[in-house]
Amino acid sequence: MRTIRQLRNRSLAQYIAKEMLETHAFYEWVAFLVYKDFSRRNPGMDLTRYMAKEEHAHFSLLKKIYPGTWGKLQPATARRLKKFKLPVIKSELEFYIASWIFDLSGQIQIQGLANCSWLAYRKVARKILQDELEHKNMGLKNLKLYLQKNPGKRKTAVRLMDKWLKLSSPSFGSVGSPFDHLAVRLGLKRVSSLNQKKQFENIVKKARASL
């Protein structure tokens, strides 16, 4: 299957692909805005600017493959933002936790797109995955180093991990829905959102227990 038009049940496949791409792009944009806001308030942390720049680049890649027949990606993202309350990172500790959990949820979902039947999306997904894997678990490593220096912050870290786990879980979309199962059958993604979300939650809970 080389393009969306070549998929069987084309109209339904296009609907599912559109929802997948828009949800993906939305959370890339959310991450960009969250990192940008924290960077503005903490100009001395160069890592935050790097993370914001990368998320913006990923959104731009997705925007390039968004079919013109669907409209434009930026307005579609803006419509979703109106119904969404942006989370705020309030400390260095929270930044390490949020960046790791954001990255982890993204990596797990993008891995499922590495063999997407929509070739344009597959190509972009592989590029984004390559970027993400270059700093895999960086946030978790920084978190553990931070707690080594500040052991009294462990309870705060656990609470913040629970907060960002809850905030990131909706990025997996319609978990267990017929559309999710159909996306796997159509080859749009390799693994169901239900299994991806379970994997994500298990990794976070295991890391939380090891702090």
Side-chain angles (χ1 to χ4, degrees), residues 172-176 180 184 189 191-198:
F172 289 88
S174 303
V175 173
D180 183 37
V184 176
K189 59 182 179 180
V191 184
S192 72
S193 292
L194 179 62
N195 288 335
Q196 289 179 327
K197 187 178 179 182
K198 286 180 179 178

Side-chain angles (χ1 to χ4, degrees), residues 16-17 19-25 28 62 65 105-129 171 180 183-184 187-193 196:
I16 295 171
E19 284 295 308
M20 285 175 56
L21 194 150
E22 287 184 358
T23 300
H24 182 179
E28 294 283 4
L62 294 168
I65 65 168
S105 64
Q107 287 164 15
I108 290 173
Q109 293 179 72
I110 295 165
Q111 283 172 344
L113 297 169
N115 293 308
C116 179
S117 53
W118 179 7
L119 292 190
Y121 199 3
R122 180 197 302 183
K123 183 177 179 180
V124 167
R126 289 181 176 181
K127 172 63 176 71
I128 294 175
L129 182 60
S171 68
D180 183 37
V184 176
L188 289 168
K189 59 182 179 180
R190 186 176 56 194
V191 184
S192 72
S193 292
Q196 289 179 327

Side-chain angles (χ1 to χ4, degrees), residues 1-210:
M1 298 180 186
R2 300 194 62 79
T3 69
I4 286 296
R5 290 189 178 89
Q6 292 171 312
L7 292 171
R8 290 182 179 179
N9 200 343
R10 189 173 67 184
S11 60
L12 182 57
Q14 286 193 11
Y15 172 80
I16 295 171
K18 183 173 183 287
E19 284 295 308
M20 285 175 56
L21 194 150
E22 287 184 358
T23 300
H24 182 179
F26 173 72
Y27 281 98
E28 294 283 4
W29 193 251
V30 165
F32 162 67
L33 293 176
V34 170
Y35 293 149
K36 181 182 177 182
D37 173 66
F38 185 70
S39 178
R40 177 182 57 80
R41 290 182 284 107
N42 298 269
M45 290 187 67
D46 293 339
L47 179 59
T48 62
R49 289 195 296 275
Y50 165 78
M51 297 293 284
K53 184 178 179 181
E54 182 178 86
E55 301 297 347
H56 189 279
H58 293 168
F59 181 86
S60 297
L61 288 172
L62 294 168
K63 186 167 65 173
K64 288 180 180 179
I65 65 168
Y66 192 77
T69 53
W70 293 354
K72 293 185 178 180
L73 184 56
Q74 195 78 48
T77 303
R79 286 192 293 271
R80 292 188 179 216
L81 273 176
K82 288 181 179 179
K83 304 175 183 178
F84 185 84
K85 184 178 180 180
L86 278 175
V88 177
I89 298 174
K90 299 178 180 178
S91 65
E92 179 183 359
L93 171 60
E94 188 166 11
F95 169 71
Y96 294 143
I97 291 170
S99 63
W100 174 62
I101 290 181
F102 263 161
D103 277 357
L104 177 64
S105 64
Q107 287 164 15
I108 290 173
Q109 293 179 72
I110 295 165
Q111 283 172 344
L113 297 169
N115 293 308
C116 179
S117 53
W118 179 7
L119 292 190
Y121 199 3
R122 180 197 302 183
K123 183 177 179 180
V124 167
R126 289 181 176 181
K127 172 63 176 71
I128 294 175
L129 182 60
Q130 181 182 354
D131 290 345
E132 295 292 352
L133 292 178
E134 286 178 0
H135 50 76
K136 183 180 181 181
N137 290 329
M138 180 176 63
L140 183 60
K141 292 174 184 176
N142 286 333
L143 168 60
K144 290 185 174 181
L145 288 172
Y146 180 93
L147 291 178
Q148 285 177 11
K149 298 176 182 178
N150 303 276
K153 293 287 187 178
R154 184 187 176 280
K155 286 186 178 180
T156 302
V158 169
R159 176 177 57 80
L160 289 171
M161 288 183 86
D162 288 340
K163 169 187 172 179
W164 287 91
L165 173 61
K166 184 177 179 180
L167 287 169
S168 297
S169 290
S171 68
F172 289 88
S174 303
V175 173
S177 75
F179 292 124
D180 183 37
H181 295 306
L182 187 55
V184 176
R185 284 176 51 201
L186 290 168
L188 289 168
K189 59 182 179 180
R190 186 176 56 194
V191 184
S192 72
S193 292
L194 179 62
N195 288 335
Q196 289 179 327
K197 187 178 179 182
K198 286 180 179 178
Q199 179 187 1
F200 167 66
E201 290 176 344
N202 287 338
I203 292 173
V204 174
K205 290 174 181 177
K206 184 177 179 180
R208 182 183 61 188
S210 71

